[in-house]
Amino acid sequence: MEYDVIVVGAGLAGLVATAEIADGGKKVLLLDQEPEAFLGGQAWWSFGGLFLVNSPEQRRMGIKDSQELAWQDWLGTAGYDQEDDADYWGKKWAEAYVNFAAGEKREWLTSMGVKFFPVVGWAERGGYHAGGHGNSVPRFHITWGTGPGIVDPFVRRVREHIKTGKVIYKPRHRVDELIQENGRITGVQGSVLVPSMALRGEKSPQDVVRVFEAKAEAILITSGGIGANFDLIRENWPARLGIPPEHMLSGVPAHVDGRMLLISEEAGGRIVNKDRMWHYTEGIKNWNPIWEKHGIRILPGPSSVWLDATGHRLPSPNFPGFDTLGTLKAIKDTGYDYSWFILTKKIIEKEFALSGSEQNPDLTGKSISKVLSRIRPGAPAPVQTFLDKGEDFLTADTIDNLVMKMNKLTGANRLNADRVVEQIRARDREIDNTFTKDLQITAMRGARNYLGDKLIRVAKPHKILDYRNGPLVAVRLHIISRKTLGGLQNNLSAQVLDEQGEVIPGLYAAGEVAGFGGGGLHGYRSLEGTFLGGCLFSGRVAGRAIVSDLT
């Protein structure tokens, strides 16, 4: 055969696997339906957060972490309940991944030049008992350079192999079918798409120029999930989260459509945990969209008052940054697809960050001076731009005027100003003492016991209705699609399994298409920083396993 391995998908998992396979001396055909400008896939757009355990960055911040604590948090978050079936391989992948995150992950990345921002973030804080959902300690390590800073080392490795002929990269090659011969997957058939000058993230034309076929000893699927395919999201929406939303924003470009999941299933691959997915509740409409229904996620600190569409505070512990899917259920239980933050200028200046490499030019551009400017008065520049131009951002000097604007924005009179004022005033009274029965205020004060939060992430608790802290800000929040937690079930050698649990010879999977490992290493929930990490880990495992299998 002309190639040893065909890799379908040039996102992060595909790049990692391709680099590892070529390092092992095998010849790789790397295929992707999008133009070369899209190389790196969704990972390029990411904030670059990575889950690491007991890292030097944590220790310097006074954080005491351990593999045992991380695994305790993972199990409490994942909630595996089908360990003899759909969760069998996912749990095994998860244990291997946590070991990796506590072991050689950081050294492996830093050996390729990856560096980390010194302050570790605290995502998915939980808010339940010690054995429940959430990170007990900060573990969200921001890559210096954000998503591109993670993608670039693997792009460089792959391009070096392209120069030597070990990797043949063919963009605009869309796989439509897997070739089977005598029970083995031996190749792919597909369509060569019309050349496109589409910029990264833009929808590219799908007109077909001609068909193609290629064969190899191993086929690796790394094509991502279903985040932009709202029909598939709604079809697989879990009943535990209520009725599927009628209105969503998309956190990923249009090409994240799940095509290869269905094609792999037709070839005999087993997809498990289809109803497990990860969608955020703090989405805002991008004032300058790149793809259709382009949404940006707010990465919030814990101080904003969170109201549902009718103006009631969400129940504890549905605080900003604590439990993504728990809050999603609480919002869907209201019967509406949106909710509200109410906050002050002081809160938005210190606590609002926006997800995405393009929304963090200081970190993405590796500019120390621009990063330091974040500690100056005023909102970060990208946040200020949304304040100025974003459809979902409202400001007012009084709460009555703010509520009037909120009702006008939705075109409905769902918010009663007196009820909103009553709840916020009750909250403000709890600020007078260092102790309180309001669990959100307890959480805010607890967060400031962590130096990183006190310095750059959590505002000093203050009264929202005190004019000295104004002006007041309201932000309408949409549900924003993001990740697929289920996928092709594969073993720890990344080999795809069929409905009987048997290996499909020649077929491998890695990244989001495999639920980041095993068809769902996260279980039902994520600890954050584990999506990029899952692509890195599963891509590396798949690449090395394929080299071993073919040697």
Side-chain angles (χ1 to χ4, degrees):
M1 292 183 181
E2 185 177 357
Y3 309 105
D4 298 305
V5 184
I6 297 172
V7 176
V8 182
L12 182 58
L15 291 174
V16 174
T18 297
E20 293 288 335
I21 295 167
D23 283 353
K26 305 301 179 182
K27 188 171 183 180
V28 183
L29 173 61
L30 175 60
L31 302 175
D32 197 280
Q33 72 175 13
E34 298 305 321
E36 188 168 351
F38 288 51
L39 194 63
Q42 294 179 63
W44 191 92
W45 294 101
S46 75
F47 193 43
L50 289 175
F51 177 91
L52 295 173
V53 178
N54 192 25
S55 69
E57 289 78 16
Q58 286 177 300
R59 294 193 293 272
R60 282 194 290 268
M61 296 299 298
I63 300 165
K64 297 178 181 179
D65 199 7
S66 66
Q67 184 175 338
E68 293 76 17
L69 181 61
W71 185 234
Q72 171 183 300
D73 287 348
W74 193 287
L75 288 176
T77 294
Y80 301 118
D81 57 7
Q82 301 180 61
E83 295 186 37
D84 293 331
D85 187 19
D87 287 327
Y88 179 81
W89 285 108
K91 185 177 180 181
K92 287 185 177 296
W93 272 90
E95 187 170 14
Y97 176 67
V98 172
N99 292 343
F100 178 63
E104 61 181 312
K105 179 180 180 180
R106 184 182 182 280
E107 182 180 356
W108 178 60
L109 291 171
T110 56
S111 70
M112 290 180 277
V114 175
K115 297 180 179 179
F116 298 99
F117 188 64
V119 179
V120 183
W122 196 354
E124 284 297 297
R125 303 177 189 218
Y128 305 92
H129 56 80
H133 169 65
N135 282 297
S136 297
V137 298
R139 296 191 178 105
F140 192 78
H141 294 66
I142 300 168
T143 305
W144 189 233
T146 64
I150 281 289
V151 170
D152 287 349
F154 299 98
V155 170
R156 288 196 299 269
R157 288 175 62 187
V158 169
R159 290 202 184 280
E160 286 299 316
H161 287 301
I162 291 174
K163 290 178 183 177
T164 65
K166 279 293 181 185
V167 173
I168 306 299
Y169 169 47
K170 293 187 178 183
R172 305 300 287 158
H173 280 60
R174 186 186 70 199
V175 172
D176 299 322
E177 184 180 352
L178 297 176
I179 300 172
Q180 289 182 299
E181 297 178 4
N182 300 319
R184 183 180 185 89
I185 304 299
T186 59
V188 298
Q189 291 178 338
S191 304
V192 179
L193 305 179
V194 64
S196 171
M197 297 299 291
L199 299 178
R200 185 187 292 272
E202 293 179 347
K203 189 171 184 178
S204 63
Q206 299 296 298
D207 303 294
V208 175
V209 175
R210 58 182 174 83
V211 297
F212 76 94
E213 179 178 303
K215 292 191 174 182
E217 293 187 60
I219 313 299
L220 173 62
I221 310 300
T222 59
S223 54
I226 67 171
N229 190 330
F230 287 4
D231 290 338
L232 272 180
I233 288 173
R234 293 186 178 107
E235 179 183 327
N236 293 294
W237 187 267
R240 62 184 174 276
L241 293 180
I243 299 171
E246 292 183 17
H247 169 79
M248 283 187 288
L249 299 179
S250 180
V252 294
H255 62 82
V256 187
D257 57 8
R259 286 185 73 258
M260 284 307 304
L261 275 165
L262 302 178
I263 290 169
S264 299
E265 187 175 37
E266 289 173 357
R270 185 191 185 199
I271 300 175
V272 294
N273 304 316
K274 291 182 180 181
D275 67 340
R276 299 185 191 176
M277 49 187 74
W278 190 258
H279 307 304
Y280 292 110
T281 50
E282 314 98 332
I284 52 177
K285 293 182 180 179
N286 192 345
W287 65 270
N288 186 25
I290 298 170
W291 54 81
E292 187 178 0
K293 298 182 180 179
H294 187 175
I296 301 294
R297 185 206 173 195
I298 297 170
L299 301 172
S303 302
S304 299
V305 172
W306 206 333
L307 303 179
D308 67 24
T310 63
H312 294 88
R313 279 184 79 180
L314 296 184
S316 300
N318 297 303
F319 313 135
F322 276 66
D323 179 2
T324 294
L325 293 192
T327 305
L328 177 57
K329 183 181 187 306
I331 291 170
K332 287 303 302 171
D333 283 348
T334 69
Y336 299 97
D337 295 338
Y338 70 94
S339 59
W340 294 97
F341 278 166
I342 291 182
L343 58 153
T344 64
K345 180 175 181 285
K346 286 186 176 181
I347 293 173
I348 204 168
E349 286 181 354
K350 191 154 189 176
E351 297 197 4
F352 265 38
L354 302 175
S355 182
S357 56
E358 84 286 7
Q359 299 297 330
N360 295 274
D362 49 355
L363 292 166
T364 303
K366 303 180 182 180
S367 171
I368 295 175
S369 62
K370 289 182 179 179
V371 170
L372 291 175
S373 71
R374 292 194 181 214
I375 64 175
R376 298 173 188 159
V383 175
Q384 185 61 52
T385 302
F386 270 91
L387 272 167
D388 296 337
K389 300 182 179 181
E391 174 185 329
D392 297 308
F393 286 73
L394 304 169
T395 60
D397 291 329
T398 69
I399 190 68
D400 287 341
N401 286 337
L402 189 69
V403 172
M404 184 170 58
K405 288 184 176 183
M406 293 162 72
N407 279 327
K408 183 178 180 181
L409 180 62
T410 62
N413 205 29
R414 297 191 179 109
L415 301 173
N416 179 283
D418 290 340
R419 184 168 60 218
V420 172
V421 169
E422 179 184 357
Q423 292 176 95
I424 298 179
R425 186 172 288 142
R427 177 260 186 211
D428 282 359
R429 292 190 185 107
E430 299 291 314
I431 297 293
D432 287 333
N433 295 292
T434 56
F435 47 87
T436 175
K437 70 178 182 181
D438 191 305
L439 290 181
Q440 183 175 7
I441 296 173
T442 297
M444 290 154 48
R445 290 185 170 136
R448 285 173 62 85
N449 288 327
Y450 167 50
L451 181 60
D453 275 352
K454 186 174 184 178
L455 288 175
I456 65 171
R457 197 70 179 109
V458 181
K460 184 178 180 180
H462 58 269
K463 295 185 177 183
I464 287 177
L465 295 182
D466 187 332
Y467 72 91
R468 291 170 295 185
N469 300 318
L472 295 168
V473 179
V475 186
R476 180 177 58 179
L477 306 171
H478 308 263
I479 296 168
I480 180 171
S481 68
R482 190 60 63 87
K483 293 296 179 186
T484 311
L485 299 188
L488 291 167
Q489 193 171 41
N490 61 353
N491 61 22
L492 281 174
S493 294
Q495 296 168 302
V496 176
L497 308 178
D498 63 17
E499 289 292 341
Q500 288 71 46
E502 300 295 326
V503 168
I504 299 176
L507 187 61
Y508 300 77
E512 191 174 352
V513 76
F516 303 95
L521 92 168
H522 293 97
Y524 285 93
R525 279 182 166 97
S526 166
L527 286 174
E528 289 285 23
T530 56
F531 300 134
L532 283 180
C535 288
L536 290 167
F537 181 59
S538 62
R540 190 176 100 140
V541 168
R544 295 184 178 188
I546 289 171
V547 170
S548 177
D549 290 346
L550 299 186
T551 299

